[in-house]
Amino acid sequence: MSGCSQNAPVDEQGRVRLRLAAPGPARAEHAGFYQAIADGSYARRGLNVQIFHGNSATDVSQRLAAGQAELGLARDSFAALRMIADRAPVKAVAAFLQKDLRVLIAHGSEAPRDLMALSDLKALGERPLYTEDPEWSDFWAWLQPKYQLAQNQIHRPEGGALEPFLEDPRSLLIGSLTREPALVGATKPDLATRRYLPADDGFASYSGIVLAPNAFARDNTEALKHFIAASAEGWRNYLNGEPDPAHGLIRRANPATPQGSLDTARELLKTHSIVDGGDAALYGLGAMTAQRWETFAEQSRGAYASDPNWREAFTPSYLPALK
């Protein structure tokens, strides 16, 4: 795949067509890309962008390998490094979510507020942790040794994680910032909860990572640069302007998404500086640094069939010039 010419097709209006493969259903974590479609950010740069959703990171890698998508999204740095470990000719070219979206939610009625920070997990005994994350084992490989947790604390119930979490006030729910907080709030509005982001405690994974096959990036440099610039504009407009255009397209792609869930997720993305914090605060939206990739590679050592070369996982070549 890396040696063949991969010129992107052009539509009847002369725009470069780019298919973006995303893991999981359409949610607020994809909103900046949908906003760029809705507000014309892509079209103004001569692009016709379509977003396709799959079930997992595997679906994204398969679409890229089969030529069914020009670009892909990775939900975390694990996915990008795993592709390198598998010798896939793909690189991360931008990261539009500067923090991993995983969140731990605890009941807020505990006395005497014994869980003030994630580091307190070490001394609080074997609290059950519930999750529905299909890729929980990657994250658990970092979480377990970091906080000295026992293997039997993690549970992935077949019937879902929400109900057992709500029933046990000592339990925690592991989920995504763009889904579980709103889900808990909608199911039990009177329940006081606390949120803990591992990203704020040293977990170095990026999210919303744009993946480009090496041959595609080589043969479509200008289109790729335009895509990244337009995506940054879409994310900026979504967070600081009117979000309804993106929300409308997300709900069309995923009708089961309540409007309230999207509103809650957007506020949390802003509150926790998910898009414009971290490296983006210094270098602009989508930014990545070698230091972050190296740190994450160290944190996730042993999670791959063979240790990947983190230097091969990303390139800043297609990002806008640093501020």
Side-chain angles (χ1 to χ4, degrees), residues 166-180:
L166 294 176
E167 291 177 350
D168 185 350
R170 281 185 51 79
S171 69
L172 287 90
L173 179 65
I174 302 175
S176 170
L177 191 67
T178 59
R179 180 177 185 268
E180 269 68 18

Side-chain angles (χ1 to χ4, degrees), residues 3 18 23 50 60 74 79 100 109 113 125 133 156 182 222 231 260 278 290 302 307:
L18 297 179
Q50 301 168 303
V60 173
D100 187 272
S109 57
R113 293 177 63 83
D133 187 348
R156 190 165 179 253
E222 289 306 309
S231 298
D307 285 336

Side-chain angles (χ1 to χ4, degrees), residues 15 18 22 37 41 69 75 89 119 134 146 152 162 186 223 248 254-255 275:
R15 300 174 301 178
L18 297 179
I37 293 174
S41 295
R75 67 171 294 187
S119 57
K146 170 78 172 179
N152 62 3
L162 181 61
N254 183 14
V275 177

